[in-house]
Amino acid sequence: MAAGQIRSWENQSTVNEFILLGYQEYPAVLLTAFLAIYMTIMLGNSLIVVVTTWDPALQTPMYFFLRSLSALEMCYTSVTLPKMMANLASGDLSISLSACASQMFFLLFLGATECFLLAVMAYDRYLAICLPLHYMTTMSQKVQVGLVAGSFAISLPMQLIQIGLIFSLPFCGPNEIDHFFCDIPPVLSLACADLYVNELAVYTENILFVIIPFGLILASYIHITKTILCIPSATGRQKAFSTCSSHITVVILFYGSAMLVYLQPKSPGSAKVNKWLSLFYTVIIPLCNPLIYTLRNHEAKAALRRLLGKAF
């Protein structure tokens, strides 16, 4: 790209806000739906946090990681849904540049952390099923806290770099984003500069926070499947599979939608499809997680009944 072109862009006035166009149709219906979904997400994930903290039968590493995931999901959803509802209620679809940067940072940071946390949960199942005699000594409370803290710590530096690279670009107009929130692809499409470094950073981030954790999950479940198939009892095999089924379901939903958004080649209609897919992994999956982990888990259902029985 010619230096003269870049200088001419830099001389233009830069935008100081974006307009989110994801709400053009049925704003009242969307507001009602988003409000109901947000309240359900907060209630469902709060119940998991309370139940797994309160019930003595659930004081195991698996439920510690589930509690961490539910707390993360509440934060993750709160990055996007309240702003979306505020825009719908007020009719003002604008978001300032600094608010857009903050929203994107927390979205990327918490999303990358969830990728690693799902990998940690797969490792926990690998230890429990493949190395049961060493499970409790290996997965001590100190190790549990370290794995969760590490998932946050690994994600932080790269996201700071990513946000710095994106929002140091000049945005000269137009400033309309056909999306529900500030995500990397639609924001980068508005930048008036050479995007080679940014695209390289996005590619690197996809490898670090999507491909590598997913590969670790896949490797864990290959070993888990081999171990389960060697169990002579059909009941034992079924019980072992049932402890993994909820996590596998969440992994398929989360990684499947995220990979479709961030790893698929660009095409004329991909931006519109990605807009709705991004709602799936930021809104629908946090909504489904409490149902997936409770309806498919006898221990969690029993603990929830005990808690509700005490409360009412």
Side-chain angles (χ1 to χ4, degrees):
M1 189 166 288
Q5 284 180 290
I6 297 176
R7 278 195 297 271
S8 68
W9 280 336
E10 288 173 345
N11 290 334
Q12 296 178 40
S13 60
T14 57
V15 301
N16 55 16
E17 68 177 18
F18 294 120
I19 306 298
L20 299 169
L21 300 179
Y23 317 95
Q24 292 180 4
E25 297 178 352
Y26 313 113
V29 174
L30 281 176
L31 176 59
T32 304
F34 286 158
L35 180 60
I37 288 171
Y38 185 62
M39 291 174 67
T40 305
I41 288 171
M42 300 306 284
L43 177 62
N45 283 286
S46 296
L47 273 175
I48 287 182
V49 171
V50 171
V51 168
T52 55
T53 303
W54 167 81
D55 198 291
L58 303 186
Q59 303 308 305
T60 63
M62 182 176 79
Y63 291 106
F64 173 78
F65 294 129
L66 176 56
R67 179 162 66 248
S68 302
L69 179 65
S70 292
L72 180 67
E73 293 280 30
M74 288 191 286
C75 297
Y76 189 51
T77 308
S78 297
V79 172
T80 55
L81 267 180
K83 177 61 177 174
M84 289 157 65
M85 290 187 291
N87 285 359
L88 286 167
S90 65
D92 179 7
L93 306 184
S94 65
I95 182 170
S96 69
L97 210 63
S98 58
C100 184
S102 299
Q103 186 182 67
M104 188 186 292
F105 167 73
F106 285 107
L107 187 72
L108 295 175
F109 172 52
L110 295 171
T113 301
E114 182 161 349
C115 289
F116 277 104
L117 189 54
L118 289 171
V120 165
M121 294 173 78
Y123 174 63
D124 172 70
R125 292 299 83 208
Y126 162 76
L127 289 178
I129 293 171
C130 301
L131 302 169
L133 297 179
H134 304 282
Y135 177 55
M136 293 311 297
T137 54
T138 304
M139 194 57 73
S140 64
Q141 189 172 17
K142 185 177 180 181
V143 170
Q144 296 169 43
V145 173
L147 287 170
V148 172
S151 298
F152 281 91
I154 290 172
S155 309
L156 182 62
M158 184 63 186
Q159 306 317 322
L160 289 171
I161 294 169
Q162 183 76 272
I163 294 302
L165 288 172
I166 292 172
F167 287 91
S168 63
L169 293 170
F171 295 96
C172 315
N175 67 337
E176 295 179 340
I177 301 176
D178 188 15
H179 212 284
F180 291 96
F181 52 84
C182 288
D183 204 2
I184 291 177
V187 170
L188 280 182
S189 70
L190 299 181
C192 45
D194 189 340
L195 300 178
Y196 174 76
V197 174
N198 299 88
E199 288 172 351
L200 185 62
V202 171
Y203 178 73
T204 304
E205 183 166 297
N206 287 339
I207 293 174
L208 290 175
F209 299 112
V210 180
I211 302 298
I212 290 178
F214 185 72
L216 294 173
I217 292 170
L218 195 60
S220 297
Y221 277 110
I222 288 171
H223 287 290
I224 287 169
T225 303
K226 288 179 180 177
T227 302
I228 291 175
L229 292 176
C230 293
I231 298 174
S233 162
T235 306
R237 288 196 298 272
Q238 185 179 2
K239 185 178 179 181
F241 270 123
S242 69
T243 64
C244 304
S245 60
S246 299
H247 181 255
I248 292 171
T249 304
V250 171
V251 166
I252 291 171
L253 292 174
F254 182 80
Y255 276 95
S257 56
M259 285 179 175
L260 284 173
V261 171
Y262 292 106
L263 299 182
Q264 70 167 330
K266 291 181 180 178
S267 64
S270 63
K272 196 165 288 292
V273 173
N274 288 348
K275 177 175 75 172
W276 294 101
L277 278 174
S278 63
L279 268 189
F280 187 79
Y281 68 80
T282 56
V283 176
I284 304 303
I285 292 176
L287 175 67
C288 295
N289 277 0
L291 294 174
I292 293 170
Y293 278 107
T294 53
L295 293 180
R296 301 175 66 92
N297 187 309
H298 297 297
E299 290 178 332
K301 283 193 289 186
L304 184 57
R305 282 194 296 268
R306 288 193 292 270
L307 177 64
L308 295 177
K310 268 187 172 296
F312 299 106

